[in-house]
Amino acid sequence: MEHFANQCASFNFRKVARVVTQLFDNALQPTGIRSTQLVILLTAGIHENSTMSELADRVMADRTTLTRALKPLLLKGYLKNVPGKDKRKTTVVLTDKGHQIILKSVPYWTKAQKHVVDNFGGNNWDNLRVKLDKMCGAVKKTRQF
């Protein structure tokens, strides 16, 4: 059993993801947002006027998960839904208030990012990031067996 867990890609990615997420969530606590919410806000700001489907693809989430994650951000006024020309599609827009919370979060994010990179090693981080991007692309292409 132990060998199975040690070799399991899902287990190992989730283990690292939980530890890193906890670190960033703790760092961002003074802002009132979580690291996963910051990622959504940044993505919505970078890719302006994304549809729900486009935003879900960009943050690697299914639409149902994204819809749940958006609710508190919409309620706080950080994002807004804007009806599109096709009434079935709405776009997600970063508001001025959302932009301000991103700016407020940057120093806390920077501190957590520096902690991760410094403790893992800058070159190690750069190499891992490239490999993770490649792996994400490869797995995304072949999600089905």
Side-chain angles (χ1 to χ4, degrees):
M1 279 293 220
E2 185 177 338
H3 175 73
F4 176 78
N6 288 338
Q7 295 300 312
C8 178
S10 178
F11 171 76
N12 283 287
F13 278 110
R14 286 182 169 280
K15 179 174 66 173
V16 172
R18 280 191 296 273
V19 170
V20 172
T21 299
Q22 288 168 2
L23 175 81
F24 276 83
D25 284 350
N26 288 339
L28 290 167
Q29 207 166 21
T31 68
I33 64 169
R34 300 174 59 94
S35 59
T36 51
Q37 293 172 320
L38 180 59
V39 167
I40 292 169
L41 293 173
L42 288 166
T43 303
I46 293 167
H47 303 281
E48 295 178 2
N49 300 313
S50 293
T51 65
M52 288 285 288
S53 295
E54 291 167 342
L55 190 58
D57 285 344
R58 288 185 173 112
V59 298
M60 299 292 169
D62 61 68
R63 282 195 59 183
T64 304
T65 302
L66 180 64
T67 299
R68 278 194 310 272
L70 287 177
K71 281 184 184 178
L73 299 173
L74 292 164
L75 288 172
K76 290 179 181 178
Y78 299 148
L79 295 172
K80 66 180 177 180
N81 283 323
V82 176
K85 293 174 187 165
D86 178 349
K87 298 294 182 197
R88 293 172 293 173
K89 291 186 179 183
T90 61
T91 57
V92 180
V93 177
L94 182 70
T95 64
D96 288 339
K97 192 173 179 183
H99 184 74
Q100 291 305 312
I101 197 68
I102 289 172
L103 292 177
K104 181 179 179 182
S105 301
V106 168
Y108 300 102
W109 175 90
T110 301
K111 185 176 178 182
Q113 180 72 11
K114 183 176 179 351
H115 178 80
V116 170
V117 173
D118 287 353
N119 283 286
F120 188 57
N123 287 338
N124 288 336
W125 168 241
D126 290 339
N127 292 332
L128 179 61
R129 190 178 42 78
V130 169
K131 289 176 182 176
L132 289 171
D133 284 344
K134 286 180 184 177
M135 185 173 191
C136 190
V139 172
K140 188 177 176 186
K141 273 193 261 183
T142 60
R143 271 188 234 190
Q144 311 242 334
F145 293 94

